[in-house]
Amino acid sequence: YQYPLMFGLILASCWCFLVCCSRIYMGMHSILDVIAGFLYAILILIVFHPVVDLIDNFNLTYKYAPLIIISLHLALGIFSFTLDTWSTSRGDTAQILGCGAGVACGSHVNYIVGLKLDPPPDTLPLSLSFLTVTVFGKAILRLLIGVIVLLLTKVAMKKATIPLACKIFRIPHDDIRKARQRMEVELPYRYITYGMVGFSLMFIVPCLFHFIGLS
C-alpha cells in the first residue's frame, strides 16, 4: 500500500522500541542483549536484503526446496543447542525455526498449485481505500476463522507429537511439563507443531478462504 514514508518510519520505530523494552521488562534479556540483537538485525538486513528476491524465487520454484528448507532449519536447531541446563530460549528458537520452515514450505505449495495470494506486480503500489462495513466484516470473519484453524492445528499437533516423541525416545511422559524440557521431546514437538502452524497459515487457511469466498 502507498502510505507516507514518515508514517511508516514512526510506526516501525515505535514497534521496535516496544519489543526491545518488553524483553527488558520481562527479564528475558539485558540492555546489552537488546543492543546486540538490534545491531545484529541491521547486519542481517544489510547482508540478505540484496538477495531476498533470489532466495524467494528459489523457495518457490526449485523442486527440492522444501527438503532443503526443512533440513536447514533442523540443522540450525540441533547444532545450536548445547545447553547444560534447560532454558526457554531453546524452545523459543525451535519454535521460530519450525514456523519459518512451515511458512516457506506453504509458500512453495501455493506456487506449485497456482494459488495466487498477492496482487499482480503491475497493480502495485495499492492505494488506501475507505473502510466500509463490508470490508470490516470480512476482515473480522477472516481473522476469527484463521485464528480458530491455527489454534486447532496447534492443539492437535501438540497432543500428537509429545507422546510420540516420548515413546520413540523412551522418556516417561507422566509429567508432561518435565518431559517437554528434554531436548529429544522439545525439539520435535516445537518443530513439527509450529511447522504445521506456519504451513496452515500460508496454505490451508488461504485455501479455506478461497473455498468459502473470503479471498
Side-chain angles (χ1 to χ4, degrees):
Y1 286 93
Q2 185 68 43
Y3 54 86
L5 175 62
M6 188 55 64
F7 173 77
L9 289 175
I10 293 174
L11 183 62
S13 299
C14 290
W15 184 260
C16 179
F17 177 76
L18 290 172
V19 170
C20 291
C21 289
S22 71
R23 308 312 294 168
I24 298 172
Y25 175 77
M26 295 296 293
M28 301 300 293
H29 295 285
S30 66
I31 295 178
L32 185 61
D33 291 338
V34 171
I35 294 174
F38 178 79
L39 295 176
Y40 185 52
I42 293 176
L43 178 62
I44 293 175
L45 184 63
I46 293 173
V47 172
F48 282 98
H49 185 266
V51 295
V52 68
D53 288 335
L54 292 175
I55 296 173
D56 188 50
N57 185 66
F58 171 82
N59 286 344
L60 294 178
T61 61
Y62 187 58
K63 182 178 180 180
Y64 299 106
L67 181 61
I68 295 174
I69 291 167
I70 293 172
S71 301
L72 178 61
H73 283 72
L74 282 174
L76 285 172
I78 293 173
F79 293 111
S80 296
F81 299 126
T82 55
L83 302 175
D84 295 328
T85 58
W86 179 79
S87 170
T88 56
S89 63
R90 182 172 65 191
D92 293 341
T93 304
Q95 181 173 316
I96 293 169
L97 290 171
C99 191
V103 167
C105 292
S107 299
H108 178 83
V109 175
N110 284 340
Y111 180 83
I112 295 300
V113 302
L115 183 63
K116 298 185 181 299
L117 303 177
D118 298 324
D122 56 350
T123 64
L124 301 177
L126 302 176
S127 58
L128 293 173
S129 58
F130 291 102
L131 185 64
T132 64
V133 175
T134 302
V135 172
F136 180 77
K138 288 182 69 174
I140 295 299
L141 188 58
R142 283 167 58 94
L143 176 64
L144 291 176
I145 294 174
V147 168
I148 290 172
V149 172
L150 296 182
L151 286 176
L152 290 176
T153 302
K154 176 186 174 182
V155 171
M157 297 309 301
K158 181 179 178 180
K159 287 186 176 296
T161 52
I162 294 179
L164 180 60
C166 289
K167 185 176 181 179
I168 291 174
F169 294 103
R170 299 179 180 178
I171 296 174
H173 59 277
D174 300 332
D175 187 348
I176 296 295
R177 183 181 179 87
K178 187 175 181 180
R180 283 175 52 183
Q181 294 182 2
R182 295 282 298 270
M183 180 176 175
E184 301 92 327
V185 176
E186 186 174 39
L187 292 188
Y189 149 61
R190 296 275 189 166
Y191 275 122
I192 297 173
T193 298
Y194 289 94
M196 283 304 302
V197 169
F199 183 82
S200 298
L201 175 68
M202 291 303 297
F203 179 69
I204 296 177
V205 172
C207 284
L208 179 61
F209 288 160
H210 181 76
F211 179 75
I212 63 179
L214 281 176
S215 299

